[in-house]
Structure formats: structure tokens, C-alpha cells
């Protein structure tokens, strides 16, 4: 399951969305989003889990607190500001939608949906709701647990993503690549 199973990542995906918003200068440390429980867009409503489960809201919330609280409203808006194309590009940078190269058979690549993918495979255009769902790791996004671990370790390594290895003799061959992200932005995500 760690390499072959693919699942919607949920809130762990928000770490990437936070760094994307910061790197694309759609967010800064002081940027706040008002969480009133539900974000209404036309006839559609997108709720925050805290409101759905407890009837509570966060009010004005910034990037660090939004990570700590896993605030859906903040990440809906971040995803909207970054846009689906950039969301997909950054997801790929973190290794989502591709095999990690670990020395195990049956590894799945998962899926990072794009507007083109949706049109070709589902026959529908991409909607803002798709962007919102992608922003919180839901919808059509599918990742393996190993991909989540690999992407998360990039924050622990201050922006260097390393290929996972399990065999001792290949560990020396493990390659790391710098994600070329601001240390300040990485620190904000880690703080969250």
C-alpha cells in the first residue's frame, strides 16, 4: 500500500499549497483570509472542516496558523490565487504524479489532475471547485503514502527532495535535488 496504493492526500497536501502561494508571491506571512465557516461561490458552497464538525470558525487566519489548524477556507483561496496550472507544476516538483524510483515493484505514479487531463478523461471543463478541491488534497488528486513521505521530507531537509531508498547498497546512490525555494518561506511552512 505504501507504494502501490493511491489515495486523496487530504490535509498533508496543504504544505505544498502554502509554499506555492508564498513562492508565487500570492501570499506573504501577513496575508490573512477570513474564515466564516463556508465560502460561497455562486450556487456552490465550500465549507471548512472545523465549521462542519463543530460549527466554529477561525476568523482572520494567516499562513502559519492555517497550516497548524488545517484551515480549508485559507487553502481554497490560496489554490484560487495560484491557479490549477501552477498547482500542478509544484505538485510535480514535490514528486506527486510520478514514481519515486524506490527499489520496489508495483509503484504507482498517482494522479495530479490538470484542466487538460479533466477535459480529455472526464469530458468536462475545469471549474473553480476543482481548484478548491485540489487546494485541500481532495477531488481527483491521488498520491501514494511514499509520495507524501518524500514530499514532506523536502521541508525537513530545507528544500532538498531526496529519492527514497531501502537497500543499503543503493543508499549511497540516492540523489537529492534542490527545490530552489526561499528558506524564509520553507521556515514559515515548517513553523505551521
Amino acid at each position: 500500500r505504501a507504494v502501490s496504493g493511491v489515495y486523496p492526500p487530504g490535509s498533508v497536501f496543504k504544505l505544498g499549497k502554502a509554499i506555492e502561494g508564498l513562492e508565487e508571491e500570492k501570499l506573504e506571512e501577513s496575508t490573512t483570509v477570513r474564515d466564516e465557516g463556508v465560502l460561497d461561490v455562486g450556487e456552490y458552497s465550500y465549507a471548512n472542516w472545523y465549521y462542519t464538525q463543530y460549527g466554529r470558525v477561525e476568523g482572520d487566519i494567516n499562513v502559519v496558523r492555517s497550516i497548524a489548524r488545517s484551515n480549508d477556507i485559507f487553502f481554497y483561496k490560496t489554490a484560487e490565487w495560484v491557479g490549477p496550472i501552477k498547482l500542478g507544476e509544484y505538485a510535480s516538483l514535490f514528486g506527486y504524479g510520478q514514481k519515486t524510483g524506490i527499489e520496489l515493484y508495483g509503484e504507482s505514479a498517482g494522479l495530479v489532475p490538470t484542466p487538460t487531463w479533466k477535459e480529455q478523461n472526464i469530458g468536462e471543463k475545469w471549474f473553480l471547485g476543482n481548484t478548491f478541491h485540489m487546494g485541500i488534497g481532495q477531488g481527483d488528486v491521488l498520491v501514494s503514502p511514499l509520495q507524501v513521505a518524500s514530499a514532506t521530507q523536502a521541508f525537513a531537509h530545507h528544500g532538498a527532495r531526496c529519492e527514497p531508498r531501502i537497500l543499503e547498497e543503493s543508499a549511497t546512490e540516492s540523489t537529492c535535488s534542490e527545490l530552489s525555494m526561499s528558506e524564509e518561506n520553507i521556515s514559515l511552512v515548517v513553523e505551521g
Side-chain angles (χ1 to χ4, degrees), residues 46-60:
Y46 302 88
N48 183 33
W49 70 269
Y50 192 48
Y51 182 77
T52 303
Q53 288 186 345
Y54 303 106
R56 312 260 324 259
V57 299
E58 301 280 358
D60 290 334

Side-chain angles (χ1 to χ4, degrees), residues 6 16-17 21 23 34 44 49 60 62 75 77 88 90 92 95 98-99 106 109 118 131 157 159 162 185 190-191:
V6 289
K17 304 313 117 196
E23 287 292 310
R34 178 165 290 263
Y44 298 97
W49 70 269
D60 290 334
N62 68 11
F75 289 102
K77 294 304 291 180
Y90 276 95
S92 293
Q98 55 199 312
K99 295 179 181 183
K118 186 177 180 201
T131 302
H157 284 101
C162 304
N185 290 341
V190 170
E191 181 183 348

